[in-house]
Amino acid sequence: MSEHKQFSHVNAQGEANMVDVSEKAVTTRTAVAEGFIKMSAETIQMIISGGHAKGDVFAVARIAGIQAAKKCADLIPLCHPLMLSKVQVDFEVQADKQQIRIEALCKLAGKTGVEMEALTAASVAALTLFDMCKAVDPAMEIGGIKVLSKAGGKTGHWQNQQAQKV
């Protein structure tokens, strides 16, 4: 990390501080985040076949992820409340790796980025999958939550190079 970078949410006195974005330009901003939940092959098959007693697991987790993105500022103390224009949560079954990949995209026209909203959407979607399947598979594992890309604002487009190598 370069020496001139500083934490944005800490003021000169070292105190927690909400960033003032009032002078920033309104631009279209997007962020994509991902996460994974590992589970048994039987649990994955139960989800795919629709045989789960709690119903459509992906539909519930998708709605939970969307709702979480909208509530991000209520959960993360220094996040700005945002008027999201799009939240999309998708699932990719990776049966060969015994996991489900969760991808969340958030978008708005605003003065601050939406990385936290995308991370929150992916995280809560994974937690919801866990909650819905824990009676069948309590040994599931959530991980790999990260920002894949972001665009908009003065920094422009950023791509997670480590994510590309995995």
Side-chain angles (χ1 to χ4, degrees), residues 24 32 35 50 52 58 69 93 129 146:
K24 287 184 165 186
V32 177
H52 197 289
F58 287 142
V93 175
L129 290 174
K146 62 184 153 289

Side-chain angles (χ1 to χ4, degrees), residues 37-52 57-58 93 95 98-100 129-130 132-140:
I37 183 166
K38 292 184 176 291
M39 59 184 63
S40 71
E42 295 78 19
T43 305
I44 289 175
Q45 189 53 47
M46 188 180 288
I47 292 170
I48 293 170
S49 69
H52 197 289
V57 174
F58 287 142
V93 175
Q98 287 188 248
Q99 67 185 14
I100 296 170
L129 290 174
F130 191 102
M132 293 189 74
C133 299
K134 69 182 183 279
V136 175
D137 190 357
M140 291 175 291

Side-chain angles (χ1 to χ4, degrees), residues 3-57:
E3 291 181 36
H4 71 280
K5 288 193 177 191
Q6 298 177 3
F7 292 120
S8 59
H9 289 81
V10 178
N11 68 17
Q13 291 76 40
E15 302 163 335
N17 180 49
M18 188 172 187
V19 176
D20 182 359
V21 297
S22 56
E23 300 303 318
K24 287 184 165 186
V26 172
T27 62
T28 299
R29 296 164 185 261
T30 60
V32 177
E34 75 176 354
F36 297 86
I37 183 166
K38 292 184 176 291
M39 59 184 63
S40 71
E42 295 78 19
T43 305
I44 289 175
Q45 189 53 47
M46 188 180 288
I47 292 170
I48 293 170
S49 69
H52 197 289
K54 291 189 177 183
D56 187 342
V57 174

Side-chain angles (χ1 to χ4, degrees), residues 146-149 157-166:
K146 62 184 153 289
V147 175
L148 296 178
S149 65
H157 188 265
W158 176 83
Q159 190 83 29
N160 186 330
Q161 297 306 315
Q162 281 76 23
Q164 300 300 314
K165 296 174 187 171
V166 178

Side-chain angles (χ1 to χ4, degrees), residues 74-129:
D74 293 336
L75 300 169
I76 312 295
L78 299 177
C79 282
H80 294 85
L82 301 178
M83 291 292 296
L84 295 167
S85 57
K86 180 169 182 63
V87 179
Q88 182 175 327
V89 178
D90 294 308
F91 303 96
E92 175 191 351
V93 175
Q94 298 177 340
D96 59 321
K97 297 179 182 176
Q98 287 188 248
Q99 67 185 14
I100 296 170
R101 179 179 173 270
I102 303 144
E103 183 175 289
L105 171 131
C106 291
K107 183 177 181 181
L108 60 60
K111 296 182 174 200
T112 189
V114 290
E115 300 94 329
M116 293 310 302
E117 288 71 17
L119 287 165
T120 301
S123 299
V124 170
L127 289 167
T128 301
L129 290 174

